[in-house]
Amino acid sequence: MEIGYPVLSTLIFLPVFGGLLMLLIGRNQEGVVKWTALIFSTLTLVLSLPLFTEFDKTTYMMQFVERKSWIPDWGVEYYVGVDGISVLFVLLSALITILCVLISWNSIKIKVKEFYVSLLLIEGAMIGVFCSLDFFLFYIFWEAMLIPMFLIIGVWGGPRRVYAAIKFFLFTLVGSIFMLIGIIVLYLKGGTFNILELSQMALPFNLQFWLFWAFFAAFAVKVPMFPFHTWLPDAHTEAPTAGSVILAAILIKMGAYGFLRFSLPLFPDAARAMTPVMLGLSVVAIIYGGLVCFAQTDLKRLIAYSSVSHMGFVTLGIFTLNSQGMEGGILYMINHGIITGALFLCVGIVYDRTHSREIVDYGGLASVMPVYAGFFMLFTLASIGLPGLNGFISEFLVILGGFKAKKLVGVLAATGIIIGAGYMLWLYQRVFFNEVNENIARIEPMGLREALPLLSLSVFVFWIGIYPDTFLSFMHVSVNHLLERVNYGVSDTMMAIKGLTGGY
């Protein structure tokens, strides 16, 4: 696919260039810094639109491909492209970054230049991860995200920001090391870092088994799956609003994306053999994450634990290994980025006024900020899967896929919807109804700059909820091709395991 300019490289390096350009701006010119960040993030979003309008939905082949030899002696290439699975995450990354720039406009008061530099650098790295078709390149972008995110949490976060930043860094780094070992083994086996070529290799089951768990270590931490989730509540709680939004909307999606891009096509026999384990961990995450939400007293911590539950739906959908569940899981990632990103934006708006996230410090907020209460209600209803809003269709598809995979899995996943409705509506009742808490009686109403990001995300809540095929149509062909690869990889060993596990 040609559109006249190297669109993927532009999307990767334009924000990086913008970040480096800001280093030349004086520290006392905070207004220039903010407008520079807004211009470059807006340009990145505008230039990403051809991916949406020009994408060919009839093929599973990679599109907008750019390929150059980088380190010939090692066979390393600068090789980028997108298919129907990755293209949506590139668009989401561009959208979320500009919203983070807007929401941080007045809330970031120290080291403003360094904050916006970090924000643009992480945007370039995120898009690079979703576009990389060379393992060497992918790993560089994967690790490059860690540094600006570590700084965003550790410098601009809350009172326990250093603890949370170090915990985030160590968890993700340890997981990544296992993946690096797996990449090296794959390179020695296949003689290439080309992800597409490696995906066509027929590896023996024993090697697939160990490599599956090596990659699992990186992706399960990133999702995060139970019991590797403990870094997420701390990181979310201590991060500034923009950091929480990026974590929820993009970074934790990369683990699930890794399962789709690598674990399933590279290790199909092992993936099928480990399906009961992955479904079991997903169900535990759905129920455990939801129940823990009832015990939270901090707004951000509650939404963070809800993410553990929601991402359980995502991994469950992926490992149902049927088209309904997998497409539901991918759409769930998009929807979670929109809904949970919006909820963190909402929390940031009131935190900037009260400097408190404790639920008991609120009450009667609907009387003080009625427009804000309307937005919060919309995203709450989307989160609990109200029909007509975006959360419904993805939950429906995941549970349908779960029932097709195993009825008990579908039933247990459905209980997560009931639990989710319980803690979200209880949260809304305590924060927005009852008597007006004196702590919030005289706070300012929501401004236009704060409303614009929520308004833009509301459009997607209704768009996906009413006409989801706009987005599902991107992934149909790629998902079916991926499922063919997984099913084609069934070996004699797999058949033996299938017999031992009761025909799973």
Side-chain angles (χ1 to χ4, degrees), residues 493-504:
T493 308
M494 180 62 212
M495 294 303 292
I497 292 171
K498 189 175 180 181
L500 292 173
T501 54
Y504 208 96

Side-chain angles (χ1 to χ4, degrees), residues 33 85 269 333 409-410 434 444:
V33 168
I85 296 173
D269 292 343
M333 285 194 269
V409 168
N434 303 324
E444 296 178 2

Side-chain angles (χ1 to χ4, degrees), residues 240-280:
T241 300
S244 295
V245 172
I246 288 179
L247 270 173
I250 309 296
L251 255 66
I252 63 174
K253 306 303 181 323
M254 291 180 176
Y257 175 76
F259 284 129
L260 288 163
R261 177 63 71 219
F262 307 114
S263 300
L264 295 183
L266 286 167
F267 324 119
D269 292 343
R272 287 184 62 85
M274 294 304 116
T275 294
V277 176
M278 300 302 290
L279 293 181

Side-chain angles (χ1 to χ4, degrees), residues 10-265:
T10 303
L11 299 180
I12 293 169
F13 293 108
L14 182 63
V16 174
F17 174 73
L20 297 176
L21 187 65
M22 280 195 286
L23 292 175
L24 304 176
I25 302 173
R27 288 182 180 278
N28 58 343
Q29 296 179 296
E30 293 182 358
V32 178
V33 168
K34 293 174 184 176
W35 278 105
T36 305
L38 184 59
I39 289 169
F40 274 91
S41 57
T42 304
L43 273 176
T44 305
L45 178 62
V46 170
L47 292 173
S48 71
L49 295 181
L51 296 183
F52 188 81
T53 58
E54 303 299 323
F55 187 84
D56 183 358
K57 300 175 183 177
T58 63
T59 176
Y60 63 84
M61 302 293 286
M62 291 292 169
Q63 301 180 43
F64 309 104
V65 171
E66 298 164 40
R67 188 173 187 180
K68 300 287 182 186
S69 180
W70 182 11
I71 310 176
D73 291 343
W74 299 353
V76 176
E77 295 177 295
Y78 175 78
Y79 188 15
V80 293
V82 289
D83 64 358
I85 296 173
S86 55
V87 67
L88 294 174
F89 296 105
V90 175
L91 294 166
L92 182 65
S93 301
L95 172 66
I96 290 297
T97 303
I98 188 173
L99 301 184
C100 288
V101 170
L102 287 172
I103 201 67
S104 305
W105 205 266
N106 291 332
S107 60
I108 299 298
K109 301 184 185 304
I110 61 167
K111 300 182 185 302
V112 174
K113 181 174 74 172
E114 289 80 359
F115 174 82
Y116 284 105
V117 170
S118 300
L119 206 57
L120 291 189
L121 291 181
I122 203 170
E123 181 183 17
M126 290 188 304
I127 295 174
V129 165
F130 292 124
C131 297
S132 296
L133 298 178
D134 182 282
F135 258 129
F136 192 88
L137 185 66
F138 168 82
Y139 193 78
I140 287 176
F141 285 128
W142 179 274
E143 291 300 296
M145 291 185 306
L146 279 182
I147 299 169
M149 197 65 223
F150 173 79
L151 293 175
I152 286 174
I153 299 172
V155 176
W156 295 277
R160 298 175 69 241
R161 58 186 179 275
V162 175
Y163 166 78
I166 292 174
K167 191 173 183 180
F168 159 77
F169 193 87
L170 288 179
F171 265 69
T172 49
L173 181 65
V174 170
S176 299
I177 289 172
F178 283 98
M179 182 172 68
L180 178 62
I181 295 170
I183 290 172
I184 292 171
V185 172
L186 278 172
Y187 174 72
L188 294 176
K189 193 73 179 176
T192 178
F193 286 109
N194 187 314
I195 293 170
L196 300 182
E197 288 183 18
L198 290 171
S199 298
Q200 301 304 315
M201 280 201 313
L203 298 171
F205 180 79
N206 285 342
L207 184 58
Q208 283 193 35
F209 177 83
W210 291 113
L211 289 175
F212 178 89
W213 288 110
F215 280 78
F216 171 88
F219 302 148
V221 167
K222 208 74 154 189
V223 170
M225 293 184 75
F226 176 88
F228 308 102
H229 65 283
T230 61
W231 65 269
L232 185 69
D234 291 320
H236 268 314
T237 305
E238 298 304 322
T241 300
S244 295
V245 172
I246 288 179
L247 270 173
I250 309 296
L251 255 66
I252 63 174
K253 306 303 181 323
M254 291 180 176
Y257 175 76
F259 284 129
L260 288 163
R261 177 63 71 219
F262 307 114
S263 300
L264 295 183

